[in-house]
Amino acid sequence: MKLTTRYEQTSCRLIVEGLPDLSAGQDSSTIGILTGFTMGLAGQTELEGKREHLQALLTAVIPYARHLLSGVPKAFGEADAPVAIAPGDGCHQLELRSSQPNTPPLTLRLDDAELADLVRCLDQLRLDASLALPFEAPPLVPLARKELRHRQPLLRRIAAPLAGVAAFAISAALIAMLPTPKPAPQTAPELAPPAKGG
């Protein structure tokens, strides 16, 4: 018996269809074998695909959104991957490549709200306990320091070290200008007068 699960947001609808994997001991309400999915974005063509397309969508869109929120937008998706996403001119360009020969890729232009709705649907899919699908979700690890380095201008990045060096130099110059205290002159100890003989 085919099962259907829907994930909906304002501008995105994701419908997953599949069957329980009875050989793995799953109950009849769990999708363990994905037979296909459809995704509809507001004003865009409805898309259909198999498990590898859904996996590619997760692999590209989730890290793209994380980098975008961190202020480090960059493209995701290999040249031969079914899905790729990259920042565009005031939008996000989602490119879907067909496995059929001689079929040109489909490029969708998403605004921020549509991208956010797509990410919410994919997050609901990843966290749904009724789906027992072995998706390889991208690891949620902090961005590396080298990825965040170019977020700030060079002058701002070196301002703190320069201020520290300048403060050290000024302190050293002021200490060098202080007069060196001279030691107090030492006086010879007074000798007791010789005792008078009586």
Side-chain angles (χ1 to χ4, degrees):
M1 178 176 166
K2 186 177 285 189
L3 302 172
T4 301
T5 305
R6 301 169 66 95
Y7 311 97
E8 292 190 76
Q9 293 293 321
T10 305
S11 62
C12 181
R13 182 183 68 255
L14 179 62
I15 302 174
V16 175
E17 296 179 342
L19 302 166
D21 188 354
L22 299 177
S23 64
Q26 296 173 356
D27 60 48
S28 59
S29 62
T30 301
I31 295 179
I33 302 170
L34 184 70
T35 57
F37 77 94
T38 58
M39 184 179 76
L41 293 163
Q44 310 279 3
T45 307
E46 188 166 271
L47 309 166
E48 295 182 354
K50 300 291 184 187
R51 183 185 177 281
E52 60 269 19
H53 302 111
L54 193 54
Q55 175 66 65
L57 199 61
L58 282 165
T59 303
V61 173
I62 298 296
Y64 175 81
R66 287 183 56 241
H67 278 72
L68 192 67
L69 287 173
S70 299
V72 191
K74 63 183 265 189
F76 280 87
E78 302 295 331
D80 57 347
V83 177
I85 187 168
D89 185 18
C91 68
H92 314 282
Q93 293 187 353
L94 181 65
E95 188 173 274
L96 306 164
R97 303 169 184 139
S98 175
S99 55
Q100 301 297 324
N102 302 322
T103 303
L106 175 65
T107 301
L108 305 178
R109 293 170 59 88
L110 307 178
D111 61 22
D112 290 341
E114 290 168 336
L115 176 65
D117 286 346
L118 173 59
V119 171
R120 285 190 191 102
C121 285
L122 293 175
D123 276 339
Q124 290 173 12
L125 169 83
R126 289 189 315 118
L127 301 173
D128 190 352
S130 68
L131 260 68
L133 299 168
F135 284 125
E136 296 176 15
L140 299 177
V141 295
L143 299 186
R145 181 174 290 225
K146 63 182 179 181
E147 293 179 293
L148 299 173
R149 189 172 294 152
H150 75 279
R151 288 178 57 186
Q152 294 182 340
L154 178 63
L155 186 60
R156 183 177 290 181
R157 277 185 277 149
I158 64 173
L162 285 178
V165 170
F168 178 76
I170 291 170
S171 300
L174 289 174
I175 290 172
M177 290 172 34
L178 290 174
T180 306
K182 295 182 179 178
Q186 293 184 354
T187 58
E190 292 184 11
L191 297 174
K196 293 180 180 181

